[in-house]
Amino acid sequence: MGEDNKITINDVAKAAGVSKGTVDRVLHNRGEVSSKSKEKVLRVIEDLGFKPNVYASLLASRKTRKIVCLIPEFNPGDFWELTDRGIAKGREEASKYSVSVVTVSYDQYDVESFIRACRATLDEDPVGVVIAPMFSNETLKFVKELSDRGICYVYIDSKLEEDGYLAYFGMQMYQSGYLCADILTGGMDTDRINIIRIARDKEGLSDPTYMRRTGFKDYIREHCPGCEINNVFIDPKDSDSIYDTLDNMFAASPSKNIVMFNSRIHLVTDYLRQRNIVGCRVVGFDVLERNLSAMREGYVQFLIAQHSDQQAVDAINSIVETAILRRPLQKRDNFTPMDILNRLNCDYYFK
């Protein structure tokens, strides 16, 4: 057969002396095929260089496979809303391959909610899972269960330091913290910094910005060895307590160097605006509209941004490529750009 001729499943069946159905069962590893027939088919496939049309095969099978995206619950305008938009786009692309994409959400401040969401995910019997990890120990238990069941999983936004994941799409967390420290200090020695942190679950099981905070502190230790770091915890669900906490912070600390490692810097800038406090140097993360508004007004000097919507699209596509189309991924750790925004360029980020 010439190189220009397309080899079909009929050609394989004829050369192996078996039916088209037998070839199909060998290709998709389903149904019973004798070892002798299987060997014949595999030998002919190798000899002829047959490459099955996976796309057509998926459509013909009419079997819908499922990918679950396990992400925190969110309100309009929150960080995870942009991720959800990416999931919607990834869902549309995956549907071309008879793959459905569903979202299972959990309360990022409640470990029991995460455990229930993990169970619900397993009940969906997915071929792959996209995970935004918050609770390290419970996530490790969950991904072990996924691995035991032969289900691949991909991390987005942040990842755990373990070896079983298929891929990661997100910032290099440690380096983003290191970069943040350089931006906040302007490369100059600084005597005091206020780190604003979210008071999460009561047991302290959730700490998704740990590696980012570690990178920040390492930079400060190397470049500002005399700098004092003050950790201040706020409850995002209690605005009155936020104001009381920040009042106490400013009363105790003269420093106006402020940083927050998640998307909630707007909680601090709301306070600064209300108290008419100016002259602070404030650095935060992510392009929520409330963060951008604070930047335009001068309450935030810099935001370190990321396209979390594209991360979700890429994560879903990676599962389709590997679990459905059986194609190897080019990269495992896919570190997305750390985009530095200020009031002069922030309006062009999504253009």
Side-chain angles (χ1 to χ4, degrees):
M1 187 171 294
E3 291 183 3
D4 294 334
N5 292 330
K6 183 178 179 181
I7 300 168
T8 68
I9 194 171
N10 285 327
D11 298 322
V12 175
K14 184 176 180 180
V18 298
S19 69
K20 284 174 56 180
T22 298
V23 176
D24 184 75
R25 287 192 291 275
V26 171
L27 289 172
H28 298 93
N29 195 27
R30 61 171 178 254
E32 293 186 8
V33 180
S34 70
S35 58
K36 183 178 180 180
S37 294
K38 185 175 183 179
E39 288 176 8
K40 282 184 181 179
V41 170
L42 292 176
R43 184 168 59 249
V44 169
I45 286 173
E46 184 176 354
D47 290 344
L48 296 181
F50 174 64
K51 296 180 181 179
N53 187 332
V54 178
Y55 180 70
S57 178
L58 288 170
L59 293 179
S61 72
R62 297 184 180 179
K63 178 180 179 181
T64 300
R65 295 161 178 84
K66 191 175 294 185
I67 294 173
V68 174
C69 296
L70 184 59
I71 66 171
E73 299 167 352
F74 62 89
N75 293 313
D78 286 351
F79 170 79
W80 294 103
E81 182 180 33
L82 184 58
T83 301
D84 189 61
R85 292 180 200 165
I87 292 173
K89 184 177 179 181
R91 179 181 296 115
E92 182 178 352
E93 295 183 8
S95 67
K96 300 173 185 177
Y97 301 97
S98 298
V99 177
S100 68
V101 178
V102 299
T103 300
V104 174
S105 301
Y106 64 91
D107 183 346
Q108 62 178 294
Y109 304 105
D110 182 359
V111 66
E112 292 300 324
S113 173
F114 179 73
I115 292 172
R116 290 193 296 272
C118 291
R119 292 181 188 139
T121 298
L122 292 172
D123 289 342
E124 295 285 351
D125 191 24
V127 296
V129 178
V130 177
I131 311 171
M134 291 284 175
F135 301 93
S136 298
N137 291 339
E138 293 303 325
T139 298
L140 289 174
K141 294 177 185 177
F142 176 57
V143 298
K144 183 180 184 304
E145 178 69 19
L146 292 177
S147 295
D148 290 345
R149 296 190 183 198
I151 301 170
C152 63
Y153 58 94
V154 176
Y155 288 123
I156 56 170
D157 187 58
S158 62
K159 70 182 179 75
L160 302 185
E161 297 303 316
E162 51 91 16
D163 296 327
Y165 62 97
L166 173 67
Y168 167 64
F169 296 90
M171 284 189 187
Q172 213 286 10
M173 293 293 281
Y174 177 91
Q175 198 64 33
S176 70
Y178 203 87
L179 171 66
C180 181
D182 187 72
I183 294 172
L184 182 67
T185 63
M188 298 182 291
D189 198 6
T190 304
D191 60 355
R192 188 176 176 89
I193 294 171
N194 290 314
I195 296 179
I196 313 300
R197 297 172 60 183
I198 295 294
R200 292 185 175 272
D201 62 293
K202 295 179 180 179
E203 292 81 13
L205 302 176
S206 174
D207 192 2
T209 61
Y210 170 76
M211 287 305 298
R212 185 171 285 164
R213 194 168 66 252
T214 300
F216 183 93
K217 289 182 176 181
D218 283 352
Y219 178 99
I220 296 300
R221 184 173 58 253
E222 295 167 15
H223 298 274
C224 310
C227 180
E228 181 181 348
I229 293 179
N230 181 35
N231 288 280
V232 178
F233 290 86
I234 61 174
D235 182 351
K237 299 180 180 180
D238 187 345
S239 58
D240 290 338
S241 73
I242 291 176
Y243 279 51
D244 291 340
T245 299
L246 296 181
D247 279 341
N248 293 333
M249 180 191 79
F250 275 106
S253 170
S255 175
K256 290 189 174 182
N257 295 307
I258 300 172
V259 64
M260 203 164 184
F261 297 124
N262 55 40
S263 62
R264 307 291 188 91
I265 194 64
H266 59 85
L267 296 176
V268 178
T269 59
D270 288 347
Y271 166 86
L272 297 178
R273 186 185 299 107
Q274 183 67 29
R275 292 288 194 260
N276 195 29
I277 298 174
V278 297
C280 294
R281 187 170 177 85
V282 179
V283 178
F285 284 79
D286 299 314
V287 287
L288 279 63
E289 181 55 40
R290 285 170 288 182
N291 292 347
L292 294 173
S293 295
M295 176 177 285
R296 296 183 191 106
E297 295 175 40
Y299 291 102
V300 175
Q301 280 62 57
F302 295 97
L303 289 173
I304 300 176
Q306 58 184 322
H307 282 286
S308 59
D309 52 343
Q310 189 58 48
Q311 293 169 13
V313 173
D314 292 340
I316 292 169
N317 286 344
S318 71
I319 294 176
V320 172
E321 286 286 313
T322 304
I324 306 301
L325 302 181
R326 305 297 180 185
R327 298 170 182 165
L329 295 183
Q330 297 300 310
K331 291 175 63 178
R332 190 185 194 202
D333 288 321
N334 302 271
F335 297 122
T336 54
M338 294 176 279
D339 302 315
I340 303 172
L341 305 185
N342 65 15
R343 63 182 180 84
L344 300 177
N345 69 355
C346 66
D347 290 329
Y348 304 97
Y349 192 59
F350 285 118
K351 298 298 184 182

